[in-house]
Structures are given as C-alpha cells and as structure tokens.
Amino acid sequence: AVWILIAVLYAWLPSVNPNTYFLLRTARRDLGAGRNQEAIALSERILAREPRMRPVYPVMAEANARTGNRSLALQNYFDYAFASDRAGDQKAVAYAYNMIGWLYQQQGNYTKAFDFYQKAFDKARANRDPLNEAISLRKQAVWHMDKEDNDKALELLTRSVEINRERAYNADHRYNLACDYF
C-alpha cells in the first residue's frame, strides 16, 4: 500500500522534492513584495531542476510582465497552457488563456485578446469552472470598454457579478467580485 501511494503521488505531484515547494513559496513571496527579478531567477532555478513544476509558470509570467518583458510573459503563459493541457488541468488552461488575452490587450492587439478570452470562456464553461468563466467575462467587459461599447461591457460585468456573488464564500470569487465592482 505504501509503494502504491508513493507511485501515485510521484505521478500526480509535479515534484516530490519538498524543497521545490519551499522555493515556489519564496518566489511567490518575492513577486508579492515586488522583487520581480528575484522571482524570475528563482522560477528559472525551479524549472531547471523540476521541469514538471507547472505552478511556477504564472509566477514567472507575472514577474516578466511587471518588468516590461511582455513577450517573455506571453511565452511563459503559453508554456503554462501547453503543460497544463498535457497534464489534463483544463482550469489552468482557461486561466492561462485569460492571461494571454490580457497581455495581448495591453499590447493593443484586440483581435487576439478577444480570441483568447473567448477560448478561456468556452473552456471554463465546458469544464464547469465558474471562476475562470467569471474572469473571462470581466476581461471581455474591459475589452468592450476599450472599444467604447459600454452597454455590452455592463452586460458582461453583470453576468460576472452573478457568478461571483453566488460563490462569495470562496476567497477567489470574493476577490473577483471586488474586481467586478471596481
């Protein structure tokens, strides 16, 4: 039974090394404190040792975006989407698509941004993932605001609020609800 448990954990966990999780936590802390270069360096170190450690990609992507390296941030999110799809984690794929869309929108590439928001929405809907569905709706609303279509933006924000309000017991949904209201 112990050997079976070890085999299952090895196959399921991105890393069996506890030090890797400590390094990931440190990279997240660096990112939260605005130490973006440190977060990037630590993320690269983690991936060099543990290439299956998917949770490090969003940390590295956000740090790269904050330092102005949006093309590398896009690559990090694409890598995250690809690795997550291969691992069967469709929620992570939807999240990555939302973030890819957001980066494209910040670069002024509205067509690609909308395409990725729609992919994220479709994937979230298909996988019963209300969090990413609401995020996608909010990002599409901002897209419509940029296009000065405020009626459509209000409609999408209202739908996002409904999803998040129903799940306000969850911290992620409360955070997104605050973003919707903002």
Side-chain angles (χ1 to χ4, degrees):
V2 171
W3 287 109
I4 291 172
L5 178 63
I6 289 171
V8 168
L9 288 176
Y10 183 76
W12 184 67
L13 293 174
S15 174
V16 293
N17 184 349
N19 188 42
T20 304
Y21 294 98
F22 174 75
L23 292 175
L24 176 61
R25 194 174 109 218
T26 303
R28 285 179 175 154
R29 190 177 317 130
D30 286 344
L31 182 66
R35 295 186 298 266
N36 299 313
Q37 292 300 334
E38 290 87 344
I40 292 168
L42 201 49
S43 297
E44 289 172 346
R45 189 169 137 209
I46 292 168
L47 285 175
R49 292 162 121 195
E50 303 279 349
R52 292 180 27 189
M53 193 66 176
R54 291 182 300 113
V56 79
Y57 285 109
V59 173
M60 192 163 44
E62 181 62 27
N64 278 314
R66 288 180 183 183
T67 60
N69 196 343
R70 288 198 173 103
S71 62
L72 193 51
L74 272 171
Q75 184 59 51
N76 296 146
Y77 278 124
F78 275 113
D79 290 344
Y80 183 51
F82 179 72
S84 296
D85 191 41
R86 212 174 23 192
D89 186 354
Q90 298 306 307
K91 288 182 181 185
V93 174
Y95 173 78
Y97 285 170
N98 275 321
M99 298 312 294
I100 290 167
W102 183 244
L103 287 170
Y104 277 133
Q105 185 168 340
Q106 288 176 333
Q107 293 174 350
N109 193 335
Y110 287 95
T111 304
K112 282 187 178 180
F114 191 81
D115 288 345
F116 276 97
Y117 293 150
Q118 194 60 51
K119 284 180 184 182
F121 179 80
D122 293 342
K123 190 155 290 284
R125 222 351 126 78
N127 290 290
R128 294 183 179 99
D129 177 9
L131 181 62
N132 280 307
E133 183 179 341
I135 291 170
S136 179
L137 289 169
R138 184 179 72 246
K139 300 236 182 247
Q140 287 180 51
V142 173
W143 187 92
H144 281 285
M145 282 185 235
D146 285 356
K147 296 294 186 177
E148 298 182 10
D149 185 359
N150 293 329
D151 292 336
K152 184 66 175 178
L154 182 60
E155 174 192 328
L156 293 168
L157 277 174
T158 301
R159 288 172 53 198
S160 179
V161 165
E162 289 171 4
I163 292 169
N164 287 317
R165 194 177 318 141
E166 289 174 3
R167 293 161 183 82
Y169 56 84
N170 178 301
D172 291 331
H173 281 283
R174 275 194 311 276
Y175 172 82
N176 283 296
L177 185 60
C179 292
D180 290 342
Y181 286 140
F182 178 72

